[in-house]
Amino acid sequence: MVRETIRFWRQGQAIEVSGFHPRTTLLDYLRLQERRVGTKEGCAEGDCGACTVALGRVRGGRVHYEPVNACILLLGQIDGAELVTVEDLAAGGELHPVQSAMVEAHGSQCGFCTPGIVMSLFTLYHDGGRPLSRESVNDALAGNLCRCTGYRPIVDAALHVCGGQPDDAFATHAEQNVQGVEALADGQDIFIGDESRFFAAPASEDSLAVLYAQHPDATLVAGCTDVGLWITKGMAEIEKIIWLGRVTGLDRIEETSDMVGIGATVTHAEAHPSLARIDPDLGELMRRFGSWQVRASGTVGGNIANGSPIGDLAPALIALGSELELRHGDATRTMALENFFIAYRKQDRVPGEFVRRVTVPKLKGNEVFRAYKISKRFDEDISAAMGAFRFTLDGRRIAEARVAFGGMAATPKRAPETERALVGLSLDEPSTWGEAMAAIARDYQPLDDHRSSAAYRATVARNLVFKALSEAASGETRATRIIGQRDALQAAE
Ligand SMILES: Cc1cc2nc3c(=O)[nH]c(=O)nc-3n(C[C@H](O)[C@H](O)[C@H](O)COP(=O)(O)OP(=O)(O)OC[C@H]3O[C@@H](n4cnc5c(N)ncnc54)[C@H](O)[C@@H]3O)c2cc1C
Ligand code: FES
Ligand code: FES
């Protein structure tokens, strides 16, 4: 059975939409078709948060709300979800509690950013009665840019109103909303359009494999946080879109005592806890990945398949020795993750083949892992360089090393010369570490671009080798880090 519409839950009703252009963004739908213009367009590239809306999906028997950037989300991607926009918050002539808190704290001046900020606070308000700190509110608001009010009153408003049990119209109608959203899940494939232009959303891996084999020229979309920019900024005329968000099974995380298997459509927000359990540095990397909005939409599979030389996950997962699984038609194959990246934006993936999942080995007792994201800002910034290290120790000596960097070559790449130079080093003899630091220069010809010069990247990579060794030697991060200190993170767990 194929459905020719998308269906979502909005203001207590199921809405059905059809006949839209596959590239239609949610923001354009809201502003140009629904004519609800409370949701603003600022940057149109996922950075400012002015377009933030909430999507609700049922997990553990309740609707779980997450913020998303409507500017880089396709309309088709809201199938099966509850959509909440800023117009939906005030009820019965009363402002929503987060709106009242913003008024009381003087959290708005020109007001352009305010709808987006209110929607991020709405999702925080519903995030489930957990204690909030100024830092966690800052994290939640990292994807919302305010140019004139300043963040202090906005964070005050959040601290005042969020963190308790929600008490608004959405909490009152929680059961009705759960039933409404659950009733949307029919397990049918979606196909809207014709053979030359369509938005499709297969419900199973088999349907996906057949459809993609028939249309290998179609663009796969998972979270759309990369593809969205091709549309809004690159003006790419993508005519055939296959959205992976409804494919059963690709959203699964499997965990055993020695590995974590992450399905291609698992979002960064969903993968965060499992990765953080492997190592606190992976948790910190995920905390700093884009913004809450980007982590709620963007996927692990999309980050890998995109093949960006500055993507954050690939170097970390390569250093851990991860494997990638791909599927084409009925055939699946597995490869070491580093072998997937062939050349600049060229991956080992044949037409019609898709990424299925990545398997990440957990650390053994004698293994030490470190990952460092180097960017101009701590939050909501793409890396200039990203270095990851896994040392296997034999006592205080390095018996084996895996080192991978992003931002240092046309692809995420291992550092074989550095790895060789690290083997045999004693963690107690820093005077012998120089050769391993120097070897980085033979492994990479760094990128030279607006994010940083090649010379800066080369120096930073060399210094990161020293930093990883000295942290492995002492177990301390107080002297080597401004944020993301491992001892503080571990204490918080
Ligand atoms: C504001 C902002 C901040 C960002 N910050 C970061 C950051 O800090 N670190 C970072 O690394 N990235 C960052 N990104 C980039 C982006 O969010 C990530 O790369 C994200 O993981 C992409 O996942 P996605 O699901 O949105 O991919 P999509 O945009 O849906 O797809 C990306 C590419 O992968 C392909 N694809 C997707 N899934 C599959 C699959 N299963 N099989 C085969 N091909 C597939 C698509 O066809 C497309 O070519 C940021 C982006 C934005 C807009
Ligand atoms: S308009 Fe800036 S994030 Fe969408
Ligand atoms: S109130 Fe003007 S940008 Fe935030």
Side-chain angles (χ1 to χ4, degrees):
M1 290 284 284
V2 174
R3 175 150 52 90
E4 294 179 5
T5 60
I6 60 154
R7 304 187 314 189
F8 53 95
W9 188 250
R10 178 139 170 74
Q11 298 170 324
Q13 289 180 44
I15 308 284
E16 221 159 324
V17 182
S18 188
F20 54 89
H21 192 290
R23 293 197 298 270
T24 310
T25 62
L26 176 57
L27 185 62
D28 280 351
Y29 167 78
L30 288 172
R31 293 182 62 87
L32 304 177
Q33 291 183 44
E34 273 201 4
R35 289 281 174 195
R36 302 293 181 91
V37 293
T39 308
K40 304 298 178 210
E41 175 165 337
C43 63
E45 60 181 52
D47 272 314
C48 76
C51 63
T52 304
V53 301
L55 287 188
R57 293 204 164 83
V58 178
R59 282 209 289 273
R62 74 173 183 97
V63 180
H64 181 86
Y65 294 101
E66 286 182 302
V68 294
N69 292 315
C71 66
I72 52 168
L73 196 91
L74 299 175
L75 171 61
Q77 289 179 262
I78 66 170
D79 183 80
E82 178 179 1
L83 171 64
V84 185
T85 69
V86 71
E87 288 90 350
D88 307 330
L89 297 197
E94 300 265 315
L95 290 179
H96 186 277
V98 299
Q99 292 173 311
S100 299
M102 283 283 279
V103 172
E104 279 155 28
H106 303 285
S108 177
Q109 285 189 29
C110 81
F112 191 79
C113 69
T114 309
I117 286 184
V118 161
M119 290 314 297
S120 286
L121 294 189
F122 168 79
T123 56
L124 195 61
Y125 179 80
H126 275 274
D127 208 26
R130 62 183 169 85
L132 288 179
S133 62
R134 197 159 279 276
E135 287 69 31
S136 61
V137 173
N138 286 344
D139 273 346
L141 289 173
N144 290 90
L145 192 65
C146 177
R147 284 288 167 91
C148 51
T149 302
Y151 287 87
R152 203 264 304 144
I154 298 170
V155 175
D156 285 348
L159 287 169
H160 176 69
V161 74
C162 302
Q165 280 307 320
D167 181 18
D168 62 359
F170 293 85
T172 309
H173 299 120
E175 208 166 301
Q176 185 196 343
N177 289 338
V178 168
Q179 284 166 5
V181 174
E182 279 183 338
L184 300 172
D186 59 2
Q188 290 186 346
D189 294 338
I190 295 176
F191 192 94
I192 301 169
D194 56 34
E195 292 298 302
S196 62
R197 174 196 285 178
F198 60 79
F199 175 89
S204 69
E205 252 194 71
D206 287 345
S207 297
L208 165 64
V210 170
L211 184 69
Y212 197 26
Q214 279 167 358
H215 296 277
D217 57 333
T219 299
L220 295 184
V221 164
C224 207
T225 59
D226 284 319
V227 175
L229 273 69
W230 307 349
I231 294 171
T232 61
K233 297 287 149 169
M235 303 299 160
E237 298 194 345
I238 301 168
E239 299 289 309
K240 300 178 178 180
I241 289 178
I242 303 177
W243 177 47
L244 305 175
R246 296 180 73 250
V247 178
T248 313
L250 288 187
D251 56 350
R252 209 167 286 150
I253 301 179
E254 289 164 60
E255 205 163 334
T256 68
S257 55
D258 54 6
M259 69 92 190
V260 179
I262 303 175
T265 62
V266 171
T267 65
H268 298 304
E270 290 160 348
H272 189 164
S274 303
L275 290 172
R277 278 195 294 276
I278 293 180
D279 189 86
D281 275 9
L282 282 178
E284 178 63 4
L285 183 68
M286 297 312 282
R287 184 188 73 76
R288 289 178 57 198
F289 195 113
S291 58
W292 192 7
Q293 290 92 327
V294 169
R295 293 191 293 275
S297 301
T299 64
V300 170
N303 194 242
I304 293 170
N306 186 31
S308 165
I310 47 165
D312 280 330
L313 273 183
L317 301 187
I318 289 172
L320 284 164
S322 305
E323 288 200 329
L324 194 67
E325 192 178 320
L326 297 118
R327 175 167 170 179
H328 183 246
D330 288 333
T332 56
R333 64 185 175 123
T334 304
M335 66 177 79
L337 180 56
E338 60 260 40
N339 295 339
F340 182 60
F341 304 103
I342 300 172
Y344 181 69
R345 300 270 183 191
K346 184 169 164 34
Q347 287 80 257
D348 182 1
R349 189 164 75 83
V350 297
E353 192 172 38
F354 58 92
V355 171
R356 219 172 156 240
R357 72 172 201 160
V358 60
T359 306
V360 188
K362 289 185 176 173
L363 293 169
K364 300 193 181 69
N366 62 339
E367 289 173 345
V368 175
F369 179 78
R370 290 292 185 273
Y372 308 106
K373 171 166 175 156
I374 307 296
S375 55
K376 285 189 177 148
R377 301 185 304 262
F378 282 125
D379 293 311
E380 175 75 301
D381 204 0
I382 303 280
S383 298
M386 155 70 209
F389 302 80
R390 190 188 76 184
F391 303 140
T392 308
L393 300 182
D394 177 7
R396 298 285 291 168
R397 273 194 195 278
I398 296 179
E400 198 202 323
R402 287 181 70 94
V403 178
F405 269 83
M408 294 291 291
T411 62
K413 190 171 167 295
R414 272 179 83 175
E417 295 267 351
T418 311
E419 289 176 357
R420 263 193 296 278
L422 283 163
V423 172
L425 289 187
S426 163
L427 293 180
D428 298 321
E429 294 168 28
S431 61
T432 62
W433 298 350
E435 168 50 26
M437 292 166 65
I440 273 282
R442 299 196 295 278
D443 280 318
Y444 298 111
Q445 286 79 48
L447 304 177
D448 193 87
D449 62 18
H450 61 281
R451 283 204 179 83
S452 72
S453 65
Y456 172 81
R457 285 185 161 111
T459 307
V460 106
R462 181 188 157 93
N463 291 347
L464 287 182
V465 176
F466 184 79
K467 181 158 155 162
L469 284 166
S470 45
E471 287 188 3
S474 68
E476 267 292 327
T477 50
R478 241 179 289 263
T480 46
R481 299 193 189 192
I482 298 168
I483 60 155
Q485 292 183 14
R486 291 168 63 88
D487 40 1
L489 285 171
Q490 275 152 351
E493 276 176 357

